[in-house]
Amino acid sequence: MSELLETNGLKKSFGGIVAVDGLDISVEAGELVGLIGPNGSGKTTTLNLITGLLSPTDGEILLNGTDVAGKPPHVVSNRGVGRTFQISKPFGRLSVYENMLVPNVSLDAEERDERIHRLLDELHLAEVADERADALSGGQKKLLELARVLMLDPDLVLLDEPAAGVNPALMDDIIEDIKRINERGTAILIIEHDMSVIRSLSERVIVMNAGKKIMTGPFEEIRADERVREAYLGGT
Ligand SMILES: Nc1ncnc2c1ncn2[C@@H]1O[C@H](COP(=O)(O)OP(=O)(O)OP(=O)(O)O)[C@@H](O)[C@H]1O
Ligand SMILES: [Mg+2]
C-alpha cells in the first residue's frame, strides 16, 4: 500500500542555501497533517516542490506511488493535489464568482454553477459573490483560494498558513471548514505558525527544521519534545 503523498530524500538548493535537505514525509489518504517549523525551515519550499512550482535538486515526490518530481503544476493538479498560498493570490479585478470559473473543471455549465454556489455558500462567500476579489478581507481571500481549489475536487489540499492575517472570529469558521472538508475525505497538509490552530486540527504533526523532518507525532507529543523546543528556541 503506497501513501497518497510521499517524499524521499527531497532536496532543493538555491545557490548556496539548502532550503530542503533530504526531506522524507508522507500523507495518507484522508489524513489531516500539520507541518510546522521555525521561519525559513523550508515549509513553503516543500509545498512549491510538491506542486511543481519548483523543480527539486534531488529526491522523489510520489503521488499514489508515481513520481511527479519536476512535473509542471498542471500535471500535479490533474493528479488531485490543490494548494493555497501563504499570501493569497486571487485575481483581484475579477469578482469572487468569476474567480471560481478559473479552474478548468470537467463539468457542464449547470453542474459547474451548482458546485460554485455550494462552495461559496459553504465557505461564507455567497454574499460577496459579485464583489471584486481585491475588495475582500485577508481571511475572505484565503477562503476564496480554498473554494477555488475545491472546484477540482482534490484528494489532497496543501494549505500554507491559512490563519495568518485572519481575524479571530473568521478563524474559528475556517478551522471548522477545514475539518468538514477533511471529514468528507480530502487529505490536508497544513502549514501553520498558530499552535492553537495546529492543536485543534492536526491528527499528526510533522516538524521541520533546517530543511529536514526532525520528528512527527500527535500534537501533545511533539510539544513536549526537546528537539522541537530547541529548533524553535535555538535558531538554526
Ligand atoms: N526562490 C528562492 N530563492 C532563494 N532562496 C529562497 C527562495 N525561496 C526560499 N528561499 C530560502 O529557503 C529557505 C526556506 O524558505 P521557506 O520559504 O521554504 O521557509 P518557510 O519554512 O516557509 O518559512 P516561513 O515560516 O517564514 O514562511 C529560506 O532560507 C529562504 O530564504
Ligand atoms: Mg512559508
Side-chain angles (χ1 to χ4, degrees), residues 99-235:
N99 266 273
M100 296 294 282
L101 293 170
V102 173
N104 190 12
V105 293
S106 49
L107 296 173
D108 66 41
E110 197 181 326
E111 287 172 323
R112 184 178 60 183
D113 226 46
E114 235 174 68
R115 186 176 291 182
I116 291 175
H117 285 111
R118 176 172 60 73
L119 287 169
L120 291 182
D121 242 12
E122 188 175 5
L123 295 176
H124 331 286
L125 294 167
E127 61 281 18
V128 292
D130 298 323
E131 308 254 333
R132 271 173 63 140
D134 55 12
L136 300 179
S137 72
Q140 287 174 318
K141 282 184 184 148
K142 299 226 167 195
L143 283 168
L144 174 55
E145 261 203 326
L146 180 56
R148 202 170 62 183
V149 157
L150 293 175
M151 281 303 288
L152 296 168
D153 196 17
D155 300 322
L156 172 65
V157 176
L158 312 168
L159 302 172
D160 199 348
E161 300 196 24
V166 175
N167 88 51
L170 188 54
M171 200 50 233
D172 290 345
D173 285 339
I174 295 185
I175 289 175
E176 288 314 309
D177 296 334
I178 293 171
K179 279 186 186 162
R180 189 164 9 86
I181 291 159
N182 175 249
E183 277 159 13
R184 285 203 300 253
T186 309
I188 293 176
L189 180 66
I190 174 177
I191 297 176
E192 190 48 68
H193 283 292
D194 184 332
M195 288 304 142
S196 65
V197 173
I198 288 292
R199 170 200 268 149
S200 62
L201 278 179
S202 316
E203 299 162 355
R204 178 166 71 85
V205 182
I206 297 167
V207 189
M208 279 184 77
N209 190 33
K212 294 187 167 74
K213 178 180 76 181
I214 57 171
M215 82 169 291
T216 181
F219 181 81
E220 298 305 333
E221 224 168 84
I222 60 113
R223 193 175 61 160
D225 193 274
E226 198 53 40
R227 287 165 295 178
V228 177
R229 284 171 196 266
E230 259 171 40
Y232 277 92
L233 298 175

Side-chain angles (χ1 to χ4, degrees), residues 1-14:
M1 229 332 258
S2 61
E3 309 275 353
L4 179 54
L5 167 70
E6 183 177 326
T7 70
N8 292 319
L10 188 62
K11 184 171 172 182
K12 180 65 182 180
S13 308
F14 297 107

Side-chain angles (χ1 to χ4, degrees), residues 8-13 20 45 48-50 52-61 67-71:
N8 292 319
L10 188 62
K11 184 171 172 182
K12 180 65 182 180
S13 308
V20 176
T45 303
N48 288 340
L49 292 169
I50 294 168
L53 290 177
L54 291 173
S55 275
T57 308
D58 201 2
E60 289 182 327
I61 301 167
D67 193 3
V68 297
K71 295 272 191 289

